Amino acid sequence: MLVLALDTATARITAGVVELGPDGPPVTLAARDGVGARAHAELLAPAVRDALAEAGRTRRELDAVVVGLGPGPFTGLRVGLVTAAAMGDALGIPVHGVGTHDAMAAGLPGRILVVTDARRREVYWSLVVDGVRTHGPEVVAPAVLAERLEADLGPVDRVVGDAAHQLGAGGEVPGPTPSGLVAVAAAALRAGTPPAPLSPLYLRRPDAIPPGAPKTVTRA
C-alpha cells in the first residue's frame, strides 16, 4: 500500500511517500522536511511534488493519505488538512487523520513527553506511554507543565518536540516523520477501516472572529 503522509501542525512541513506492507513497520520511500512557521501554504505543495518524484511514483498510484491533526496553530494546521482532504477527494482515496504528538512518539518506548510550540508563550503537550497517549493534548504555559510533572505526571524517559527547550530539555524529534504518521494509522489502513472525519486539534479559538453587530448610533 502506497501512502502519502503530511503534517503542518508544527513549524516543520512534513511530506513523505511511505510503503505499508501487510506486516512490519512502514518504510519511507522519499521525504521532504522544510521549516517555515508561516509558509506552510507555499512549501507543502512543492514538498509533495518532490517527494513523489524522488520515490518515482505519481499521485494516481497513492492508496491513501495520512495527515497530522495537531495540536497546532490554526493557520498552519489547516493547510495540511485542506491539502489532504482535497487530494483524497480528487483521487478517490481515504484520508486518515492522526495525532501529531502520537506520530512523534511512534516507536519510542517508555514514557515520552511531547512538547511543541503553541506560541503566545505557551506549549502543546502530550504524554505517550509505550505508544499509547495517556494525557493530553493540552495547551499551557511551560511553568504550568513543569508543575504538573512535579505534582502528578511523574518522571519521563524522554522529552521530544520543538518546544522541549522551554522545559530545559534537549528537544529530540522536532516534528513527526512520514513513517511515524503512517505507523499510527497502520492498523486502520491494513484493515480497510473507513476514516473518521478530519477533526483538527486547535485547542484554542481562532484569533480572527466575525465582527459583531453594528452599534446603534443615536442622535442627541
Side-chain angles (χ1 to χ4, degrees):
M1 178 182 298
L2 194 67
V3 184
L4 178 68
L6 307 174
D7 188 274
T8 55
T10 71
R12 306 185 77 83
I13 293 88
T14 298
V17 180
V18 180
E19 187 74 45
L20 181 68
D23 50 34
V27 177
T28 300
L29 304 181
R32 289 293 182 273
D33 188 11
V35 179
R38 302 185 186 279
H40 294 83
E42 292 83 357
L43 296 176
L44 184 58
V48 171
R49 178 198 62 209
D50 293 347
L52 285 166
E54 182 181 329
R57 305 298 181 89
T58 68
R59 297 186 183 194
R60 291 293 176 186
E61 294 178 81
L62 294 172
D63 298 300
V65 179
V66 172
V67 62
L69 297 175
F74 182 82
T75 302
L77 180 54
R78 68 179 177 176
V79 169
L81 297 179
V82 169
T83 299
M87 291 189 67
D89 185 62
L91 298 172
I93 58 177
V95 180
H96 290 263
V98 301
T100 296
H101 286 184
D102 301 339
M104 292 174 66
L108 299 179
R111 295 170 56 83
I112 309 301
L113 182 68
V114 185
V115 190
T116 54
D117 187 9
R119 303 175 189 169
R120 304 185 196 171
R121 299 181 181 179
E122 292 183 320
V123 297
Y124 300 114
W125 72 273
S126 298
L127 180 63
V128 181
V129 180
D130 293 326
V132 178
R133 177 159 34 93
T134 60
H135 296 77
E138 297 179 15
V139 56
V140 296
V144 173
L145 177 54
E147 290 174 0
R148 287 285 310 275
L149 289 169
E150 290 278 347
D152 63 316
L153 293 177
V156 298
D157 298 309
R158 294 172 69 176
V159 182
V160 303
D162 61 5
H165 64 280
Q166 296 189 46
L167 295 176
E172 308 167 80
V173 193
T177 62
S179 61
L181 291 161
V182 174
V184 179
L189 289 167
R190 287 174 172 139
T193 304
L198 298 178
S199 299
L201 300 171
Y202 295 128
L203 305 189
R204 285 196 189 119
R205 297 180 64 84
D207 291 331
I209 59 174
K215 295 180 180 179
T216 302
V217 178
T218 58
R219 294 184 178 180

